[in-house]
Amino acid sequence: MTTTDDIRRWASALPEVEETSHFRFRVPAFKVRGRAFAGMGKDETTAVFRVSEHDATEAAANDPATYEAVRRQDARRSFLGLQVVLRNVDAERVQSLVEAAWREQAPKSLVANQGGPV
């Protein structure tokens, strides 16, 4: 199973990543220029990645035991990200989600400097 240390290693290899702690759950969270792109779940057996809402909805529809499109619990119900049950996916998939979430949240100029899609 992918661990917090794996996610930390992959996230930290990307430009301008800062590790913080979730304000409520006190688990690792990762930001690029102040924008959160990944974070561990309360017990660190899940993680949430800030990918597109479309991609999250599609993943959750295809495998609801592994993926969930997470929304705020308040009246706004705004989209937060894709929650992943880490034991259900291989490390390569989790690493690709870390990178996709970083690209989703990083400024376009920073992504362009990495040679990735903008």
Side-chain angles (χ1 to χ4, degrees):
M1 181 176 89
T2 299
T3 66
T4 300
D5 286 337
D6 295 325
I7 292 172
R8 177 179 289 118
R9 185 176 69 252
W10 297 324
S12 298
L14 298 165
E16 300 189 34
V17 170
E18 167 191 12
E19 182 175 338
T20 62
S21 181
H22 187 276
F23 70 97
R24 183 184 303 156
F25 304 123
R26 303 292 180 227
V27 293
F30 303 92
K31 296 180 177 185
V32 55
R33 290 199 187 166
R35 297 183 70 179
F37 70 92
M40 300 307 298
K42 288 183 236 184
D43 61 4
E44 297 186 40
T45 62
T46 62
V48 176
F49 301 97
R50 185 63 172 95
V51 297
S52 75
E53 186 169 7
H54 174 269
D55 290 348
T57 302
E58 188 174 286
N62 290 331
D63 187 355
T66 300
Y67 302 106
E68 178 185 357
V70 180
R71 291 179 171 72
R72 292 187 193 282
Q73 296 301 308
D74 61 16
R76 296 175 288 175
R77 298 282 300 152
S78 57
F79 176 70
L80 294 174
L82 176 65
Q83 181 171 276
V84 178
V85 177
L86 296 173
R87 73 175 176 273
N88 292 355
V89 295
D90 64 25
E92 186 176 294
R93 170 70 171 140
V94 177
Q95 184 176 7
S96 73
L97 286 167
V98 169
E99 293 166 358
W102 179 87
R103 284 192 307 276
E104 185 76 23
Q105 292 300 99
K108 288 182 182 355
S109 60
L110 186 57
V111 174
N113 288 339
Q114 281 303 109
V118 267

